[in-house]
Amino acid sequence: MRSYALLTLVAPLVLALPAPAPAPLPFPSPQTNNQETNVLTGLLAGLGGAVVNLGSILDAIPAVLGDLGTALEAADEVVSAIENGTILGTDVPAVVQKLFKAAKPTASPTTLTDAVNLEAKAWGATNPSQAPPTSQNILGNVLGLLLNGVNNADITSIANGFAMNVPLSNNKAASPNFYKIQTLLGNAPFSVPESQLLQAIYIPPEFTGQKQPIIFVPGTGTIGSTNFQPNIGKLLSQSTIGDPVYLQIPNNLLGDIQTSAEYVSYAIQYINQLTSKKPAVITWSQGSLVSQWAFKYWKTTRAMVTDLISISPDFDGTILALLLCPGFASGNAFACTEAVFQQVYNSNFITTLKSNNGDSAYVPTTTVYTATDEIVQPQIGNSASGFISDARGVGTSNTFLQGACLALPAGTLYGHAGVLINPTAYALVVDALTHDGPGDFNRVTASCVDVVAPGIGIGDVLATEALIPEAALNILSYLPKVAAEPAIRAYAGVYGQS
């Protein structure tokens, strides 16, 4: 398989702990369909970078890609063509969408363990104590997931060229209008119109108003409801603990993270005033960065929440970010999105966030992360990008699954999205919401013996793992791309000093 990894680890990520439990069975391969043709064979070969007509490329892709080998070959060809300029950047969305539409499931897991392992196995993870290989073709990996039954309605919608099904709200502004008095309170100013900030706060019909409100902040390339309704949101909505509220941030969090943070800041203040209750904030992936930025530069939000609970966070960014941008290194016009650039390990955005103890918690914070994360690395122990410090003494807990649940089911092969259905992760969510301060692993050790959180089925696992191909499809389809991360906002030099 052709590799387009742009960064490598500076040191091997090896967990210095006793040998873990044996890895599950290998990633299953779908059955071969002998009537399929080799994708793009001969069309792109030997063209030396000459641009090929988009229609010809699309015509060369079969209507059905039901064979894993053929799908991986197609992914290699497409990535190579993007890198050498044979496929123009503006044509990439159509080509990628056609590949996703053609990838028809030919296998499906029959056990929870098999379903949980699909994500990490697709990236070649075989040892729970080590990160997946850093040299990857992410397009091929996500096609493999689709062939193995990992899919959802949003992937189909995006592949057909339609926007995700985003439920929006007709919320009315709260009073007094805190939108207009931000800077008087020592907060950064808003740049997004209040009507847009309001519309992004999706309060589902099952919201009772009697339980603690939980604001869910999604990860790169997705939206709050899709991100959390098959997992933590589902479980909390059925409990007596929390009332989910989902943020549907425009552009699927692919734009400037500084703008996305305004939606989090506003939602915290709005829900706090609407319910007269302090919400908790639960995040996945980039959502953790967005929320930490909001706490840093909108200081009044800190006293309005009880907890930040971060699943698979990347507080330091990730050395694998540019895997999502094939062609960038070779100078192809198809570059990347603002948010992906900002999540490059120690980018300007990350460096600014971490300054003045921004790498420490502003509110009681619980983090959970996995060594076999295929998107965020490094993610091992205290050197993990998911680890947060506690310089302010507000209370933090950092749970590294393979260390905490060593040689037990909850400490095996969980990918970036898989932590959302991990039993220990959910136990820590509940523990944090029902106790003062962060979640405490010592109170939930019994959770390590399970494979998924109680109440999660195979369908929920597959819908959760579909977040990875969904995000990849959104990132690759998103236009226009940019060539560098956006500038740091001027307010960063004025606010956020404590």
Side-chain angles (χ1 to χ4, degrees):
M1 178 182 294
R2 181 181 176 86
S3 165
Y4 56 97
L6 303 180
L7 295 171
T8 56
L9 289 173
V10 296
L13 294 176
V14 179
L15 177 64
L17 290 170
L25 294 175
F27 185 68
S29 297
Q31 297 297 315
T32 300
N33 181 345
N34 294 326
Q35 295 183 355
E36 290 180 1
T37 59
N38 289 331
V39 180
L40 306 181
T41 298
L43 180 63
L44 304 179
L47 292 176
V51 176
V52 178
N53 178 270
L54 174 62
S56 298
I57 295 174
L58 296 179
D59 289 343
I61 300 176
V64 177
L65 282 174
D67 169 62
L68 182 59
T70 304
L72 295 180
E73 178 186 347
D76 284 338
E77 294 255 17
V78 168
V79 168
S80 296
I82 293 171
E83 289 181 334
N84 64 30
T86 303
I87 295 178
L88 296 175
T90 52
D91 291 338
V92 169
V95 175
V96 171
Q97 289 165 1
K98 179 70 181 291
L99 286 176
F100 270 69
K101 288 174 65 175
K104 305 297 183 183
T106 59
S108 182
T110 57
T111 70
L112 280 171
T113 299
D114 287 342
V116 167
N117 289 329
L118 281 178
E119 181 189 349
K121 284 288 189 180
W123 268 260
T126 58
N127 188 334
S129 67
Q130 293 180 331
T134 58
S135 178
Q136 297 282 348
N137 180 330
I138 196 169
L139 180 57
N141 294 338
V142 297
L143 290 178
L145 284 173
L146 295 179
L147 291 174
N148 281 276
V150 175
N151 210 328
N152 65 19
D154 285 325
I155 293 175
T156 301
S157 177
I158 301 164
N160 284 323
F162 304 115
M164 293 175 66
N165 182 23
V166 182
L168 298 174
S169 301
N170 294 315
N171 300 318
K172 295 182 179 179
S175 180
N177 191 344
F178 42 75
Y179 180 87
K180 294 181 179 178
I181 61 174
Q182 287 300 298
T183 54
L184 298 179
L185 300 174
N187 293 331
F190 286 121
S191 64
V192 179
E194 187 172 18
S195 59
Q196 293 182 27
L197 297 173
L198 280 165
Q199 194 178 35
I201 304 171
Y202 174 55
I203 303 175
E206 60 269 22
F207 185 87
T208 68
Q210 303 304 309
K211 302 182 287 184
Q212 181 184 17
I214 312 294
I215 299 172
F216 284 96
V217 187
T220 307
T222 187
I223 57 174
S225 55
T226 301
N227 197 144
F228 293 103
Q229 281 183 329
N231 42 74
I232 300 172
K234 168 189 173 179
L235 298 178
L236 286 182
S237 68
Q238 296 172 352
S239 76
T240 59
I241 298 170
D243 261 332
V245 173
Y246 302 103
L247 288 192
Q248 319 288 55
I249 298 175
N251 299 318
N252 309 119
L253 275 89
L254 296 174
D256 189 345
I257 296 177
Q258 297 168 103
T259 300
S260 297
E262 296 185 27
Y263 289 88
V264 176
S265 171
Y266 187 90
I268 289 171
Q269 297 175 76
Y270 181 81
I271 294 298
N272 174 252
Q273 189 171 92
L274 179 71
T275 65
S276 298
K277 294 181 174 67
K278 289 186 176 183
V281 178
I282 297 181
T283 66
W284 178 61
S285 192
Q286 185 205 137
S288 306
L289 282 176
V290 175
S291 300
Q292 187 73 354
W293 188 275
F295 288 132
K296 180 172 184 174
Y297 293 108
W298 283 267
K299 296 179 182 179
T300 57
T301 61
R302 303 174 195 174
M304 296 180 182
V305 303
T306 62
D307 296 89
L308 171 64
I309 303 171
S310 295
I311 307 298
S312 300
D314 61 337
F315 292 117
D316 293 332
T318 170
I319 63 170
L320 304 180
L322 294 180
L323 287 175
L324 295 164
C325 310
F328 174 73
S330 59
N332 193 325
F334 179 69
C336 225
T337 75
E338 292 176 315
V340 172
F341 274 124
Q342 289 171 314
Q343 290 175 90
V344 170
Y345 195 74
N346 286 336
S347 65
N348 289 337
F349 173 85
I350 296 293
T351 301
T352 302
L353 175 62
K354 293 169 64 175
S355 66
N356 299 306
N357 289 323
D359 55 354
S360 283
Y362 292 97
V363 301
T365 300
T366 304
T367 78
V368 190
Y369 49 93
T370 173
T372 49
D373 192 314
E374 75 281 11
I375 303 297
V376 177
Q377 288 294 336
Q379 204 70 303
I380 301 286
N382 292 357
S383 65
S385 185
F387 184 92
I388 195 164
S389 300
D390 192 19
R392 296 174 185 82
V394 297
T396 63
S397 69
N398 297 278
T399 300
F400 170 47
L401 288 173
Q402 285 77 15
C405 296
L406 180 67
L408 293 171
T412 52
L413 297 177
Y414 288 83
H416 189 60
V419 184
L420 290 163
I421 48 89
N422 180 275
T424 299
Y426 183 67
L428 284 163
V429 168
V430 173
D431 189 73
L433 295 177
T434 54
H435 292 83
D436 290 336
D440 185 346
F441 174 73
N442 292 319
R443 293 193 290 252
V444 301
T445 54
S447 64
C448 288
V449 301
D450 294 323
V451 175
V452 297
I456 294 293
I458 290 180
D460 300 318
V461 174
L462 296 179
T464 298
E465 291 182 330
L467 291 171
I468 301 302
E470 176 186 305
L473 178 56
N474 266 322
I475 293 168
L476 291 168
S477 299
Y478 186 79
L479 293 174
K481 296 294 196 297
V482 296
E485 67 174 294
I488 299 298
R489 303 280 173 88
Y491 66 69
V494 180
Y495 305 98
Q497 301 302 310
S498 62

